[in-house]
Amino acid sequence: MNAFIQGLPKVELHLHIEGSLEPELLFELAKRNNIDIPYDSPETLRRAYEFEDLQSFLDIYYQGANALRTEQDFYDLTWAYLERCKADNVIHTEIFFDPQTHTDRGIDFDTVINGIYRAMQDGHDKLGITSQIIACFLRHLSEESAFETLQSVLNHQDKIIGVGLDSSEQGHPPEKFKHVFQQAKVEGLLTVAHAGEEGPAQNIIDAIEMLGVNRVDHGVRCVEDASLVERLIESKMPLTVCPLSNIKLCVFDNMAQHNIVELLRKGVAVTINSDDPAYFGGYMTDNFLAVSNAHSMSKQELAQFTINAINASFISDGLKTEYRAQVEDYLTAYQ
Ligand code: HPA
Ligand code: ZN
């Protein structure tokens, strides 16, 4: 089963590029940019990655992002992530970045997007991995600040497929951003939002109704509202679930308690994703293995996570057909 999972073609739809910054690269960037880090080695930094909830993680995550300064830094960060994708047989990935985390400390939006985009082009040319970029608004900041960020996104609409919503869910419901999402959709951008990770099921309903999202990020608290689960099944609304993240941030006590397999079997369009792999202890293969080790699953069911992700992705119908065939061929070869 481990070999099957390792070789299975995978599609990632929920990955914060700043959350793929491994301690080793963080130390290298800090040295390059003359930044002090209050840890004496990558190992001691990694040992500090113990979180009790989303906010305790976000505090450390924003601190880590401070090491990113130049276009080359963003290139190196993204390239390192794409090499991990290659190792895990990730064939397509849709990458989040948090523009305000960088523009608020004086780094140009252009510096960030150009570094990420150049690595993605090399990822396509040298590794054969297709990818898209989604810019996320930080929900602990104002809608006015999100509107300013949307303006920058529109200046790079040739490179950015959509906008998302992340950061602290508690106290910052979808409603706070309904105008900026409405404008983003008018401009032709696709939309996603984190909802129902730490926040209530109502946030999932509001993300769908008030923000008009194409996918819900996390969404695991949907089970608290049976009619919502029915609605997700009927509308085929995808959920980008992040199993290891949910354990690290104490959304579930352990992987056996996680509801992703129950949701899959009910017919919800759930997918497996790594969220912030440098902080949560694993990339795509690790997440698949963690779910499969805690729940008895068939190969067909595991492959369904990839099929769901292909269907939920922001690629052309032609490429979706090609990728689905790749998964079917892989399954057939294994049987
Ligand atoms: N939730 C909310 N905001 C985030 C996350 C997350 O899991 N990761 C990075 N920013
Ligand atoms: Zn996330």
Side-chain angles (χ1 to χ4, degrees):
M1 197 51 105
N2 287 9
F4 172 82
I5 287 173
Q6 169 59 41
L8 178 69
K10 301 173 191 74
V11 166
E12 172 135 80
L13 302 178
H14 185 158
L15 175 282
H16 304 265
I17 199 65
E18 296 89 348
S20 72
L21 178 55
E22 292 287 346
E24 289 73 17
L25 181 56
L26 198 157
F27 266 73
E28 200 180 310
L29 297 181
K31 190 171 167 200
R32 201 196 272 179
N33 295 326
N34 277 316
I35 301 162
D36 269 338
I37 332 180
Y39 295 91
D40 59 18
S41 69
E43 292 72 32
T44 51
L45 174 57
R46 191 173 273 115
R47 258 180 262 131
Y49 292 171
E50 292 293 338
F51 314 113
E52 64 224 33
D53 55 16
L54 176 58
Q55 194 59 51
S56 62
F57 154 70
L58 290 172
D59 294 342
I60 292 206
Y61 160 85
Y62 294 131
Q63 204 179 304
N66 183 42
L68 297 157
R69 300 284 166 96
T70 67
E71 184 183 316
Q72 191 61 38
D73 295 346
F74 286 94
Y75 177 93
D76 292 347
L77 171 72
T78 308
W79 181 253
Y81 163 66
L82 290 167
E83 285 190 312
R84 297 297 297 253
C85 284
K86 188 68 186 170
D88 282 4
N89 286 300
V90 173
I91 55 178
H92 175 74
T93 177
E94 304 195 346
I95 298 177
F96 292 143
F97 78 112
D98 288 339
Q100 291 149 301
T101 296
H102 312 298
T103 53
D104 282 7
R105 54 191 179 88
I107 312 290
D108 269 0
F109 189 100
D110 294 13
T111 300
V112 181
I113 189 73
N114 291 339
I116 296 171
Y117 188 68
R118 189 157 53 83
M120 288 170 49
Q121 285 177 311
D122 282 350
H124 180 264
D125 297 347
K126 297 178 184 165
L127 305 174
I129 298 170
T130 55
S131 54
Q132 305 274 18
I133 309 185
I134 297 168
C136 287
F137 304 126
L138 297 179
R139 67 204 303 160
H140 66 272
L141 301 179
S142 66
E143 189 181 45
E144 187 189 353
S145 172
F147 264 111
E148 283 168 22
T149 303
L150 176 61
Q151 204 45 58
S152 302
V153 168
L154 294 175
N155 294 336
H156 291 275
Q157 213 172 343
D158 55 325
K159 308 177 201 71
I160 301 175
I161 189 107
V163 294
L165 186 64
D166 65 3
S167 188
S168 322
E169 188 178 0
Q170 307 273 26
H172 304 284
E175 184 179 8
K176 181 175 164 188
F177 296 93
K178 63 183 179 200
H179 303 104
V180 73
F181 268 69
Q182 198 170 33
Q183 186 61 33
K185 288 170 79 78
V186 166
E187 302 287 353
L189 290 159
L190 297 173
T191 59
V192 298
H194 284 51
E197 176 187 20
E198 276 195 345
Q202 187 62 44
N203 279 2
I204 301 172
I205 297 172
D206 291 348
I208 294 169
E209 293 181 354
M210 295 182 182
L211 307 184
V213 293
N214 300 90
R215 303 194 291 250
V216 172
D217 296 314
H218 292 294
V220 289
R221 286 191 59 188
C222 66
V223 292
E224 291 164 26
D225 179 342
S227 66
L228 171 59
V229 173
E230 281 312 309
R231 179 176 175 181
L232 295 176
I233 295 167
E234 270 170 37
S235 61
K236 299 189 169 71
M237 176 59 71
L239 304 185
T240 63
V241 179
C242 307
L244 285 173
S245 163
N246 291 155
I247 305 309
K248 278 296 251 188
L249 301 188
C250 308
V251 173
F252 296 92
D253 291 341
N254 54 59
M255 201 56 85
Q257 306 280 317
H258 202 291
N259 61 17
I260 187 169
V261 179
E262 175 195 336
L263 289 169
L264 179 81
R265 289 178 181 156
K266 279 189 170 146
V268 179
V270 286
T271 63
I272 290 186
N273 306 273
S274 71
D275 208 4
D276 302 282
Y279 293 90
F280 299 150
Y283 289 78
M284 284 292 275
T285 296
D286 303 307
N287 272 277
F288 271 79
L289 286 172
V291 171
S292 161
N293 287 336
H295 301 263
S296 182
M297 298 186 71
S298 68
K299 294 187 177 74
Q300 180 72 53
E301 285 179 320
L302 286 159
Q304 190 64 42
F305 286 126
T306 298
I307 298 290
N308 288 350
I310 293 167
N311 294 341
S313 71
F314 297 154
I315 56 180
S316 69
D317 287 344
L319 193 53
K320 285 184 185 182
T321 304
E322 194 180 305
Y323 282 163
R324 275 191 297 260
Q326 219 169 300
V327 177
E328 295 302 337
D329 289 350
Y330 183 76
L331 257 183
T332 310
Y334 242 92
Q335 267 146 15

